[in-house]
């Protein structure tokens, strides 16, 4: 009886998931159609030209995709300000940076677990239930919320070569959290689990040794905090310092090229 009930529950669950995916797919197509008939493209591009120095290096296909994906994300995900009014610049800069993480994906799922982005004007005091208060630039919560400091988002966007980008960092956490608890193994791997885990474990442990020996690395030592932070920090370095990362960490770089389906060295820094 219990097994029969479980089977029924699983069947209903799969049906509901199928309905959700179908409805989301239809909604995305509608959003794309709405964009084609609006003046949003010009507004979004003006924001990108102002805040993304790499934008001029993108070919027309990537420019069009980044604009489209950013607009879709802005329609799917709520964005609210605390102590700051959400303008087009804030909205499209943030979702443009999120869009970079799916730029190489021809059929992205657009962060399906992410429901809300909360923006503060600058560094803020985080007061999550069950955690100590702390001053933060950004956070990614397991239940589909990203929190960002606008001051640090725009500084990271306009200085796209120092390996520090809070928006890329927190949206990378969201990719990691899609598979459950953040552990440095994100959803939708394009390589087998053991190849990913073995490479990441080796690179993570090497970074810890370099920190202990006071050596230099293109990957920020904040990545030694845990494997989830290592994935997020590695993502920042991958997009902002691709040539240096490729030289220092060829295996890790190759792994991230396969995961993100894009090679930043070739498209951002031509």
């Amino acid at each position: 009886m219990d097994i029969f009930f479980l089977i029924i529950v699983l069947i209903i669950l799969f049906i509901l998931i199928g309905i959700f995916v179908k409805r989301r797919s239809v909604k995305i197509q509608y959003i794309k159609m709405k964009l084609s008939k609006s003046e949003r493209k010009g507004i979004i591009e003006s924001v990108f030209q102002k805040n993304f120095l790499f934008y001029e290096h993108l070919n027309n296909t990537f420019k069009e995709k980044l604009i489209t994906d950013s607009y879709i994300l802005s329609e799917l995900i709520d964005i609210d300000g605390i102590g700051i009014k959400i303008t087009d610049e804030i909205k499209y800069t943030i979702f443009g940076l999120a869009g970079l993480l799916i730029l190489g994906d021809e059929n992205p799922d657009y962060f399906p677990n992410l429901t809300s982005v909360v923006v503060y004007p600058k560094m803020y005091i985080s007061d999550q239930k069950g955690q100590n208060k702390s001053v933060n630039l950004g956070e990614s919560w397991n239940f589909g919320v990203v929190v960002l400091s606008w001051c640090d988002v725009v500084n990271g966007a306009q200085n796209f070569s120092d390996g520090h980008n809070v928006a890329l960092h927190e949206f990378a956490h969201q990719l990691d959290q899609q598979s459950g608890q953040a552990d440095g193994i994100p959803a939708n791997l394009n390589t087998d689990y053991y190849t990913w885990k073995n490479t990441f474990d080796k690179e993570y442990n090497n970074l810890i040794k370099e920190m202990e020996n006071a050596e230099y690395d293109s990957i920020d030592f904040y990545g030694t905090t845990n494997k989830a932070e290592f994935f997020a920090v590695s993502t920042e370095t991958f997009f902002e310092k691709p040539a240096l990362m490729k030289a220092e960490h060829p295996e890790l770089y190759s792994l991230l090229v396969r995961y993100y389906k894009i090679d930043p060295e070739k498209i951002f820094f031509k």
Side-chain angles (χ1 to χ4, degrees):
M1 183 67 176
D2 291 340
I3 295 177
F4 178 75
F5 178 75
L6 180 60
I7 292 172
I8 295 298
V9 170
L10 289 174
I11 291 172
I12 294 173
L13 182 60
F14 282 125
I15 291 173
L16 291 175
I17 291 173
I19 292 172
F20 171 79
V21 171
K22 180 65 175 177
R23 289 184 62 183
R24 185 177 173 86
S25 177
V26 171
K27 185 175 182 179
I28 289 170
Q29 292 306 314
Y30 170 73
I31 293 170
K32 287 181 179 179
M33 183 179 67
K34 188 167 71 169
L35 175 63
S36 69
K37 298 179 180 179
S38 75
E39 298 178 354
R40 288 280 105 182
K41 278 189 179 181
I43 294 170
I44 297 170
E45 184 159 52
S46 67
V47 170
F48 290 176
Q49 289 170 339
K50 177 183 178 183
N51 289 336
F52 297 162
L53 297 181
F54 62 81
Y55 185 73
E56 65 183 42
H57 297 291
L58 298 179
N59 62 34
N60 290 335
T61 300
F62 280 131
K63 285 181 178 178
E64 182 73 19
K65 187 173 189 301
L66 187 60
I67 289 171
T68 301
D69 287 346
S70 304
Y71 181 70
I72 290 171
L73 289 169
S74 74
E75 291 289 301
L76 291 174
I77 301 165
D78 293 333
I79 182 166
D80 299 292
I82 296 179
I84 188 172
K85 180 181 178 181
I86 300 300
T87 62
D88 284 339
E89 180 182 4
I90 292 174
K91 178 165 60 176
Y92 295 125
T93 298
I94 288 173
F95 287 123
L97 290 168
L100 282 183
L101 301 188
I102 57 174
L103 186 61
D105 193 340
E106 293 182 1
N107 297 292
D109 55 13
Y110 296 102
F111 300 88
N113 297 344
L114 181 58
T115 59
S116 178
V117 174
V118 178
V119 184
Y120 285 86
K122 55 185 179 181
M123 288 187 297
Y124 60 93
I125 297 176
S126 175
D127 191 17
Q128 281 196 67
K129 187 176 181 181
Q131 297 186 16
N132 294 327
K133 290 184 178 181
S134 60
V135 177
N136 285 319
L137 309 181
E139 297 170 277
S140 176
W141 298 348
N142 280 327
F143 48 89
V145 178
V146 162
V147 187
L148 295 167
S149 154
W150 168 242
C151 176
D152 294 282
V153 167
V154 73
N155 285 342
Q158 293 177 350
N159 184 5
F160 204 77
S161 60
D162 63 353
H164 298 289
N165 191 302
V166 66
L168 292 182
H169 185 103
E170 302 306 339
F171 286 117
H173 277 318
Q174 277 295 310
L175 293 175
D176 194 358
Q177 289 163 337
Q178 276 181 226
S179 60
Q181 189 70 26
D183 57 3
I185 303 175
N188 305 321
L189 289 179
N190 295 317
T191 187
D192 70 272
Y193 171 86
Y194 292 105
T195 298
W196 180 278
K197 189 176 187 307
N198 291 339
T199 301
F200 254 70
D201 284 356
K202 181 180 72 173
E203 296 282 353
Y204 173 69
N205 291 326
N206 286 343
L207 189 66
I208 292 174
K209 290 178 183 176
E210 288 179 344
M211 181 183 69
E212 292 172 345
N213 295 330
E215 299 175 19
Y216 170 80
D217 199 288
S218 57
I219 301 174
D220 193 279
F221 288 137
Y222 184 67
T224 63
T225 304
N226 53 51
K227 291 177 183 177
E229 295 299 347
F230 181 69
F231 171 66
V233 171
S234 295
T235 294
E236 293 178 81
T237 310
F238 175 71
F239 280 98
E240 293 209 354
K241 292 182 174 181
L244 191 54
M245 186 184 199
K246 185 177 181 179
E248 293 180 358
H249 306 275
E251 288 184 70
L252 179 59
Y253 188 82
S254 177
L255 205 63
L256 290 173
V257 167
R258 293 202 297 274
Y259 176 69
Y260 285 113
K261 302 176 184 176
I262 203 166
D263 188 338
E265 185 184 21
K266 294 179 179 178
I267 67 166
F268 294 148
F269 300 94
K270 293 185 295 185

